[in-house]
Amino acid sequence: HITGSNSKTYYLAATVWRQLSNIMIIREALRHRGKTMKIKVGQQIALSSFNRFNKDLSAASSVCLMHLQSIGENGPALVDTVSPQQLTGSRESLINAIEECEVLRQFDDGRKLLIFRCNTLGDSPIIDELGRLRERCYRDIGAGSGKDRDNDVFDETYYHVILWDPSDEEILGAYRLIPVGEQLAQHGITGLYSNSLFKYHNNAYSCLSQCVEIGRGFIQKPYQKSNVLDYLW
């Protein structure tokens, strides 16, 4: 929201003859030269906020205008917003945690395929970063949670396969997995993420115990057109 206005003469001209007000735009811009303008930046607007308008662009733009006017006056948000994303800990703590992961394979270009399982009771910089990157990638396709992290309780017990680039010091992509038989033995059926999405029949347990559950995959946008997916698989 930018606080500012044009002169009364400009608005009067606009009501009388629109083309005249267009000609006066340069004059109005020069009139503000050397002055300070107040700019207030709100949180990112969630794309899901516009689903209810069913492609009615006029209604959507009107709500956006009212939303901007509201935050300009320190009022409430009139549309759904998403939380900003920031790295919680230091980059150094993430790198130190990455270096402790088991290396599944190191590629010729220096990138490493790692496997990680959270074994600490406290916060994990790897789990935090995975949640941050997931949310960023999922937001790009309109599927973000709206929170600053896409983490859940299953992150603590599942394995995470990670592609790490030491030169960029970045997690390029990852997915999580769990041998279902192992998870059933330790945590029961409620320990499976897929159980929160589907209701398994009792007869399915014997089959499930021979499966591996894989999901929550992502690849950072700058690397999506590279061979990162090949490395992960």
Side-chain angles (χ1 to χ4, degrees):
H1 180 273
I2 301 176
T3 302
S5 62
N6 293 315
S7 65
K8 293 181 180 180
T9 304
Y10 171 83
Y11 293 117
L12 178 61
T15 59
V16 176
W17 187 28
R18 186 64 183 178
Q19 291 184 358
L20 177 59
S21 65
N22 291 339
I23 297 173
M24 295 174 63
I25 284 291
I26 297 178
R27 172 181 176 273
E28 292 297 314
L30 294 175
R31 189 173 66 86
H32 294 286
R33 184 172 54 183
K35 296 182 180 180
T36 300
M37 301 181 69
K38 294 182 179 180
I39 300 177
K40 181 173 291 186
V41 180
Q43 291 189 356
Q44 179 182 341
I45 297 175
L47 291 176
S48 57
S49 298
F50 303 107
N51 292 341
R52 66 181 187 272
F53 297 112
N54 194 25
K55 298 183 180 180
D56 186 345
L57 298 182
S58 177
S61 61
S62 296
V63 170
C64 278
L65 176 60
M66 291 187 291
H67 169 71
L68 291 174
Q69 291 173 337
S70 179
I71 65 173
E73 298 171 356
N74 296 320
L78 303 182
V79 294
D80 295 333
T81 58
V82 293
S83 302
Q85 288 192 297
Q86 295 178 346
L87 191 65
T88 302
S90 66
R91 177 62 59 175
E92 183 179 357
S93 64
L94 173 63
I95 294 172
N96 291 337
I98 285 289
E99 290 177 348
E100 295 179 2
C101 293
E102 179 184 350
V103 179
L104 297 177
R105 183 177 178 183
Q106 181 160 351
F107 299 96
D108 293 338
D109 57 7
R111 292 174 176 175
K112 297 179 180 180
L113 190 65
L114 312 172
I115 189 164
F116 168 75
R117 195 177 197 183
C118 186
N119 295 317
T120 60
L121 296 177
D123 295 334
S124 164
I126 294 179
I127 295 296
D128 182 77
E129 180 69 350
L130 289 174
R132 187 179 75 89
L133 295 177
R134 275 187 208 142
E135 178 65 18
R136 175 189 291 177
C137 292
Y138 297 163
R139 283 182 187 181
D140 287 341
I141 58 173
S145 66
K147 302 176 182 178
D148 60 343
R149 298 290 188 276
D150 187 317
N151 290 117
D152 57 31
V153 295
F154 303 99
D155 280 330
E156 298 178 3
T157 58
Y158 275 55
Y159 295 96
H160 300 268
V161 177
I162 299 167
L163 183 63
W164 172 256
D165 191 320
S167 59
D168 290 349
E169 296 184 346
E170 286 283 351
I171 294 176
L172 308 189
Y175 59 88
R176 74 181 184 193
L177 60 82
I178 193 70
V180 175
E182 174 185 326
Q183 192 74 341
L184 289 175
Q186 295 181 5
H187 302 282
I189 191 65
T190 57
L192 291 178
Y193 170 70
S194 57
N195 183 64
S196 66
L197 306 175
F198 310 102
K199 184 177 181 180
Y200 287 117
H201 193 279
N202 292 337
N203 294 339
Y205 288 1
S206 59
C207 176
L208 285 173
S209 62
Q210 304 174 48
C211 299
V212 175
E213 184 184 285
I214 301 176
R216 313 305 289 161
F218 72 88
I219 296 174
Q220 284 207 62
K221 191 171 184 177
Y223 305 96
Q224 288 176 1
K225 294 184 179 180
S226 66
N227 55 354
V228 168
L229 184 60
D230 295 333
Y231 283 5
L232 283 170
W233 287 103

